Amino acid sequence: MGVTSESGRIVAGGRKGPYVRLAEGPQERHVSRTELARKPEELGDPILTVAHLSDMHICDHQSPARVEVLDRLMDPDSTTSDLIDQVGTYRAQELLTAHVGAAMVEAVNEITEGPVGGGPLDLAIATGDNTDNGQYNELDWYLTLLDGGRLTPDSGDLLHYEGVAALPDKRFWHPQGETYDMRRGDHGFPLVPGLLKAVRRAIDSPGLEVPWLAVNGNHDALLQGTVPGTSAIGEVAVGELKAIAMPEHWTDEAKAKLISGLVSGDPAAFAMLAELEPYEVTADRRRRQTTLQEFVDSHVHDEAKPPGHGFKAGGEPYYRYDANDEVTFVVLDTVNPAGGFQGSIDAEQLEWLDAVLASTDYDERLAVIASHHDVASLVNDMSGPGGKRRVLGDEIVHTVSRHESAVLWLNGHTHRTAVKPHGSWWEVTAPSLIDWPQQGRVVELISDGDVLTIATTMLDHAGSARWSGSIEEVGHLASLSRELSANDWQGPRVRLAEHPSAGTAQDRNVLLHLLDPRA
């Protein structure tokens, strides 16, 4: 597969009962958006071409530190689904995240030039939630996928699968059919003999052929993207007890309070987690929780291109990177260490951001900001130790908008494809590689000297549009993952073409025009 404008958009290709199959659809043309500037007669010359990936969620799906059972509170037939906004601790396709990551590496490596401007691919950027649960083994798998090498996405007992797909719980998908489950019985999910062994086979990744930049996300830093690591949580992650059921005496109100409490950091909610009913699994020290500094330092090694993938050993989780003579990346860390899945920054980082953008103004460079959280999600004002103030979206946008050099902000987090104008710059949000549509973007900066055009083109991973039924190769498993993501039973009840995660034509293959500040 490749960029959709060249090879066609993946669409619904028929049904098997309630279960949607996929197929390759027609080409998807680019749409001009002129809210900030007119469309030039000729777009001009390419300045920079970037592959934008986000929310890979490389997942240890057998970890005791995951609480998949809480996701059942959002099932359509659950009495709590109207009381809770979202949970997101279980997906049928979470067994296949490493295979999707490998298939996206293959797709990026196949890009020979920008589909609009024709410039060479200069670099890639992964805007956070590269891992799912902030664990050491997940960090190792993600780095191996993008840097290249062999990884084995397995943990615990390496001879037997120990995740929820093997539990006698009808609300989880059981691909090998050992027990009845609602996903096959009510939603038409496939029977896939041998899958639980296939997903744990070693993967050889060629690694990205272009330099790539890293960004910290809430799932890279926090348990399930929400809860700060503690010694107690750390012991659960590496231990031998995995939660599989909620106590029968919990009321719907108590369950809703638990979810909101986990988001807000309420100690009473953490105490409730201790009441979950466990079963025994094989302990594994590689599941240990990583620190923020360890996340940063793990990117710094001799083979990393560019050095540290933007980070510096012992340095901050935010940085400046000059991509070429004309473009500077300003990478933010929007994760709140106090907890919560939404984002913000501290006052010191805001001061740093202002200074970096001022320097790019002076040097007449173009500034591309990158973060995990989108602007609308920068609402997390939880203060950590010392009560330091958190800076939220409105103040950050005000700071960015004071600088002429700022032309683009790349991010993810929402798992939705979106594009928004902000006065003098554009915000481009990538979808995720775990939920539908499992796409990234190719982003090109092109200028005619007066008008700067930001061209975005959706990028599919290398798994075929229609799953063949085979599980022999990485691409087969990635193709199955995409199909499973299109059949999320908690997803919106709309036609696949109208799914909000995929965005509209105004969010996907678009030409975003604005005045070139250097003119």
Side-chain angles (χ1 to χ4, degrees):
M1 302 300 295
V3 287
T4 56
S5 61
E6 295 179 350
S7 58
R9 181 177 180 178
I10 295 175
V11 297
R15 288 181 175 271
K16 185 177 181 181
Y19 187 82
V20 176
R21 300 301 309 277
L22 302 178
E24 190 172 319
Q27 294 181 345
E28 193 174 12
R29 302 300 182 185
H30 285 82
V31 176
S32 276
R33 293 190 57 171
T34 57
E35 294 98 314
L36 304 186
R38 62 173 176 80
K39 178 183 178 181
E41 292 185 7
E42 299 289 338
L43 296 183
D45 299 319
I47 299 171
L48 187 74
T49 303
V50 181
H52 179 197
L53 317 178
S54 199
D55 297 82
M56 290 187 290
H57 287 271
I58 304 301
C59 177
D60 177 4
H61 43 86
Q62 301 175 85
S63 172
R66 305 190 76 244
V67 282
E68 297 96 335
V69 63
L70 298 183
D71 207 72
R72 307 284 55 80
L73 301 176
M74 284 296 294
D75 282 345
D77 61 341
S78 171
T79 55
T80 58
S81 59
D82 292 334
L83 303 176
I84 300 170
D85 291 332
Q86 60 180 316
V87 180
T89 57
Y90 169 77
R91 301 166 176 86
Q93 66 270 21
E94 65 192 16
L95 305 87
L96 302 159
T97 53
H99 309 85
V100 171
M104 182 51 82
V105 166
E106 181 181 342
V108 172
N109 288 345
E110 289 177 355
I111 299 171
T112 56
E113 62 181 24
V116 177
L121 184 66
D122 296 292
L123 71 147
I125 186 167
T127 52
D129 283 6
N130 309 296
T131 67
D132 186 68
N133 209 30
Q135 295 181 189
Y136 171 78
N137 58 346
E138 294 176 341
L139 175 59
D140 180 54
W141 297 341
Y142 133 71
L143 287 171
T144 304
L145 282 168
L146 269 57
D147 280 335
R150 168 165 283 203
L151 64 145
T152 302
D154 195 5
S155 65
D157 185 346
L158 301 184
L159 298 178
H160 301 93
Y161 180 80
E162 297 182 303
V164 295
L167 292 179
D169 184 331
K170 66 180 182 180
R171 290 185 174 272
F172 296 112
W173 179 48
H174 296 78
Q176 299 185 163
E178 297 92 339
T179 185
Y180 167 80
D181 72 76
M182 297 170 64
R183 309 313 162 202
R184 287 185 291 115
D186 298 346
H187 299 278
F189 272 56
L191 185 67
V192 191
L195 182 64
L196 299 184
K197 183 177 181 179
V199 299
R200 296 181 291 125
R201 291 193 299 249
I203 298 172
D204 291 307
S205 173
L208 291 171
E209 295 176 356
V210 294
W212 62 274
L213 301 176
V215 180
N216 186 37
N218 55 296
H219 277 264
D220 299 312
L222 305 171
L223 180 75
Q224 298 285 262
T226 302
V227 181
T230 65
S231 58
I233 288 174
E235 288 304 311
V236 170
V238 301
E240 55 188 16
L241 295 178
K242 180 176 176 64
I244 61 170
M246 288 173 277
E248 292 185 2
H249 70 268
W250 279 7
T251 64
D252 288 350
E253 290 71 21
K255 296 172 184 175
K257 186 177 180 180
L258 168 63
I259 300 302
S260 61
L262 291 175
V263 171
S264 64
D266 184 354
F270 301 148
M272 287 182 67
L273 289 179
E275 298 181 39
L276 294 172
E277 299 175 13
Y279 85 116
E280 289 190 8
V281 296
T282 304
D284 191 336
R285 299 300 300 179
R286 286 174 50 85
R287 290 169 171 156
R288 63 179 174 81
Q289 300 289 291
T290 57
T291 65
L292 175 58
Q293 197 61 63
E294 185 176 12
F295 176 82
V296 169
D297 292 347
S298 292
H299 291 77
V300 183
H301 56 84
D302 292 343
E303 288 77 33
K305 295 180 181 180
H309 297 299
F311 295 126
K312 291 180 172 61
E316 299 290 352
Y318 50 88
Y319 58 88
R320 167 182 179 155
Y321 175 73
D322 293 334
N324 57 25
D325 293 338
E326 299 180 78
V327 182
T328 291
F329 273 80
V330 185
V331 175
L332 303 180
D333 173 25
T334 54
V335 179
N336 190 335
F341 66 95
Q342 303 288 48
S344 56
I345 65 175
D346 58 26
E348 290 82 1
Q349 190 175 169
L350 180 69
E351 183 178 350
W352 172 86
L353 170 64
D354 195 23
V356 171
L357 291 177
S359 71
T360 55
D361 287 341
Y362 181 80
D363 293 334
E364 295 187 341
R365 300 176 64 86
L366 301 176
V368 176
I369 299 161
S371 67
H372 175 62
H373 294 87
D374 66 315
V375 168
S377 298
L378 296 172
V379 294
N380 186 341
D381 61 357
M382 294 171 59
S383 58
K388 288 189 176 181
R389 178 179 79 91
R390 299 296 294 182
V391 181
L392 307 185
D394 287 347
E395 188 173 353
I396 301 171
V397 166
H398 176 72
T399 298
V400 170
S401 298
R402 290 194 298 106
H403 296 281
E404 292 183 350
S405 59
V407 295
L408 173 64
W409 189 331
L410 299 176
N411 50 49
H413 182 62
T414 63
H415 294 206
R416 293 195 173 195
T417 311
V419 172
K420 298 177 183 177
H422 288 271
S424 59
W425 50 273
W426 287 95
E427 178 183 13
V428 173
T429 303
S432 77
L433 289 178
I434 189 170
D435 289 322
W436 175 260
Q438 295 193 351
Q439 291 181 312
R441 292 185 188 263
V442 178
V443 179
E444 303 170 77
L445 274 64
I446 307 166
S447 180
D448 69 351
D450 295 313
V451 176
L452 179 69
T453 297
I454 300 167
T456 80
T457 309
M458 304 308 297
L459 176 67
D460 289 302
H461 63 64
S464 61
R466 192 175 186 87
W467 177 50
S468 66
S470 174
I471 56 174
E472 292 303 311
E473 300 177 6
V474 167
H476 299 152
L477 295 168
S479 178
L480 171 61
S481 178
R482 184 195 286 119
E483 185 175 284
L484 295 174
S485 76
N487 287 276
D488 181 8
W489 55 87
Q490 292 181 359
R493 296 294 180 261
V494 297
R495 295 172 57 247
L496 195 59
E498 300 166 356
H499 198 293
S501 293
T504 69
Q506 299 290 315
D507 302 301
R508 294 174 54 78
N509 287 6
V510 287
L511 305 177
L512 310 172
H513 309 294
L514 68 159
L515 298 179
D516 191 324
R518 301 168 301 172

